[in-house]
Amino acid sequence: MRVEDYRAILARLFSTFAIVFSSFCLLAAPTVFAQEDGVDDQTTEQNGDEKVTEEIVVTGSRLKRDTYSSISPLQIITAQVSREVGLIDAADILQESTAANGQQVDLTFQGFVLDNGPGASNVDLRGLGSARTLVLLNGRRLAPAGVEGAPFAANLNQIPASMVQQYDILLDGASSVYGSDAIAGVANVILRKDFDGLEIQGFTRIPDYSNGVDHTLSVVWGKNFDRGFIGFGGEYTDTERVSLEDRPWTAGCEKHHEIDENGQFRSQEEWQSSVLGSAWDECRLDRTAGRYIAPLGGSLYYTGPGTSNGGWGSFSSQRPRSDFNYTDSDGDGVADVRYRDFDRNGTPESQSSDLFPETSSYSLMSYGEYTFDGEANITPYFEAMYQNFDFESRGRPPQLFPFVPALNPFNPCNPAAAGGVDCGLAWDTFMANPAVIQQYMDAFGCDPSLGGSCDQTFGAIGAQTVRPVVGVRGDRDNTTTSGDQLRVVGGVRGDMPFMTMGSLDNWSFDVYASFTESSALSERRGIRDDRLDLALGMEFIDKYAMRQRSRRRNGT
């Protein structure tokens, strides 16, 4: 029998258990007394002259204690207070907590190199990464969810916010209790138990600027009994897309903001301006500026018809070798090629990219428990949750690095091609410039007066392979993701009053089984590598050998 068949059978068994247990709770409810008003799970009861405080299992420990005697620092965020300040989603609440630090991945991350893929949100506590931050739901693990990459973290977007009572954030490491994924801490999402009939809530967040309206509609029904409860809920969310041009802090171009090692805020790109002599503003670096990498010449940019700092026709070299800072062929102290002049950040095409993508999701959940009479307090419980989501984003195309064979009729380093040149002779023209020679002498300390030679000419080298670096519109720039997740939990907990070992008493047990199944589909159109190779004439060429030859000729 296949693994998929076992999963399907297990899912049906858990689903059947959830339905039967729900029906049992509803049938058993009329035979018990109603709970007295004003008493909840963590209140203090009067027992004669003695006050008895009910003990609970605090997040980060297996021992029963009240919340205020926990030895680990614990931050508790109630859902009601969060709603009052405009925070509804579990991802927003956890990521904006004071314990969250480091890179918080949310829906604004749309790249295809994310471990959990696009459309997922996770929390990073203490800056140690989401892989070291454990997320629990009612004290039990949430399984990873995502598509593409290697999903390892729970997707906070799958938590039905309308069913949450509070968020417990353990501010200390708990690897000894939960394992290595809790080194940074634990975020425990605790679902509400105080149901009383039908509740319908609607939330709408309207930004100060255009687009980005967020709608949330939730329907919750539940019933509390003297010895248990049952709850059902459904939630639907929908968020409009926001493009970069819709917000003043990204309009014009995406801005560059970071804090340096001295804690100072910095808004300008330092590498291009300090090392490569490129005038720069507050715009972020976009590495999809078109260029091609040629033997000896390094990165060559199109600088206009017949304009070149060497013999490359209409192209100029930014820096021929990695040990050159930048090329200043006219000696004016300014780089010949400034990357910002070719950067795509700020173009009309880039401004249509998404800042916040369009998303929609709905979730259904049911859970409950019932405690039987007796000293053992046997309590069977269950949780069943289903979530479906759709995510669509529009971005900029990533870089494409195809090899162009030496004899390709459009290769700029093919002397036989229209407009092509011999890149060895082009390099010689570049090195004949006195200003370039002086730069070389300053960089490498060659001094002809001491008998050294600064001659770096190569002569004709014939047709050579080049590698353009481009971004092609329609290549992996739009992403559509859809998926769902089913989670079913069933278990029994209770006390063991018959187990006493001196001062070690108050033993209890909790046995449960959890089943989670996730599936998702991500679609991203792109250029097929085999078709591109066929169009370039690469189908019979060893690209690895070509890459090694290209590196040797470039001196890298």
Side-chain angles (χ1 to χ4, degrees), residues 187-378:
N188 186 14
V189 182
I190 300 177
L191 301 179
R192 54 185 296 195
K193 298 182 179 180
D194 56 337
F195 297 107
D196 187 16
L198 180 66
E199 298 179 9
I200 300 178
Q201 297 182 357
F203 304 94
T204 298
R205 293 186 294 185
I206 303 177
D208 293 335
Y209 308 97
S210 61
N211 298 327
V213 179
D214 186 357
H215 303 283
T216 300
L217 175 64
S218 64
V219 179
V220 178
W221 181 89
K223 184 69 175 177
N224 279 86
F225 317 117
D226 184 49
R227 290 186 172 273
F229 70 91
I230 184 74
F232 302 89
E235 184 176 275
Y236 174 78
T237 61
D238 179 78
T239 304
E240 293 180 342
R241 69 178 296 266
V242 177
S243 65
L244 296 175
E245 62 184 354
D246 291 333
R247 297 294 181 265
W249 54 88
T250 53
C253 69
E254 286 190 83
K255 307 300 191 298
H256 183 91
H257 302 290
E258 68 177 7
I259 298 178
D260 63 16
E261 63 276 7
N262 298 320
Q264 298 179 348
F265 177 80
R266 189 166 60 195
S267 61
Q268 291 190 352
E269 210 284 331
E270 290 291 334
W271 171 258
Q272 293 287 334
S273 57
S274 301
V275 178
L276 300 183
S278 209
W280 210 264
D281 46 29
E282 292 186 349
C283 298
R284 290 181 55 188
L285 177 67
D286 186 339
R287 298 188 180 276
T288 56
R291 65 187 189 275
Y292 77 92
I293 301 174
L296 306 176
S299 292
L300 300 174
Y301 295 82
Y302 182 77
T303 50
T307 303
S308 177
N309 57 7
W312 296 285
S314 301
F315 290 84
S316 296
S317 173
Q318 182 185 34
R319 56 173 181 166
R321 291 170 49 168
S322 60
D323 38 20
F324 263 76
N325 284 342
Y326 58 87
T327 300
D328 177 18
S329 62
D330 54 8
D332 62 354
V334 179
D336 293 343
V337 177
R338 297 184 299 177
Y339 191 96
R340 186 70 184 102
D341 298 334
F342 304 91
D343 187 51
R344 297 179 61 195
N345 187 10
T347 62
E349 181 183 73
S350 71
Q351 284 289 284
S352 64
S353 301
D354 284 348
L355 177 62
F356 299 102
E358 180 179 355
T359 61
S360 63
S361 66
Y362 68 87
S363 58
L364 303 172
M365 186 165 189
S366 175
Y367 60 104
E369 64 181 43
Y370 183 81
T371 303
F372 290 99
D373 193 12
E375 290 184 344
N377 293 319
I378 301 299

Side-chain angles (χ1 to χ4, degrees), residues 11-33:
R12 285 195 291 270
L13 289 175
F14 274 119
S15 301
T16 302
F17 170 77
I19 295 173
V20 172
F21 183 72
S22 301
S23 302
F24 171 76
C25 288
L26 292 174
L27 292 174
T31 63
V32 300
F33 295 97

Side-chain angles (χ1 to χ4, degrees), residues 419-466:
V421 298
D422 187 303
C423 282
L425 298 178
W427 167 261
D428 293 349
T429 302
F430 175 76
M431 289 304 301
N433 189 310
V436 175
I437 294 176
Q438 186 61 48
Q439 274 191 290
Y440 186 87
M441 293 174 61
D442 294 340
F444 303 106
C446 66
D447 189 351
S449 65
L450 299 178
S453 174
C454 293
D455 182 13
Q456 296 294 311
T457 59
F458 278 80
I461 59 176
Q464 298 293 320
T465 301
V466 299

Side-chain angles (χ1 to χ4, degrees), residues 54-67 69-72 177-178 503-508:
E54 182 179 354
E55 293 177 329
I56 62 174
V57 176
V58 178
T59 301
S61 174
R62 300 299 187 189
L63 303 178
K64 287 187 175 181
R65 65 181 79 231
D66 63 84
T67 304
S69 64
S70 173
I71 61 175
S72 299
V177 178
Y178 298 106
S503 61
L504 298 178
D505 56 5
N506 198 23
W507 289 80
S508 62

Side-chain angles (χ1 to χ4, degrees), residues 87-135:
L87 295 178
I88 302 172
D89 299 334
D92 294 340
I93 294 173
L94 292 176
Q95 290 181 352
E96 296 190 20
S97 65
T98 57
N101 199 354
Q103 187 66 70
Q104 308 296 325
V105 176
D106 55 20
L107 295 179
T108 62
F109 288 75
Q110 302 160 37
F112 57 91
V113 294
L114 300 173
D115 289 313
N116 283 59
S121 301
N122 49 57
V123 61
D124 177 5
L125 298 181
R126 304 171 69 184
L128 298 180
S130 56
R132 295 293 177 260
T133 301
L134 178 62
V135 178

Side-chain angles (χ1 to χ4, degrees), residues 408-421:
N408 187 291
F410 300 98
N411 187 334
C413 280
N414 179 8
V421 298

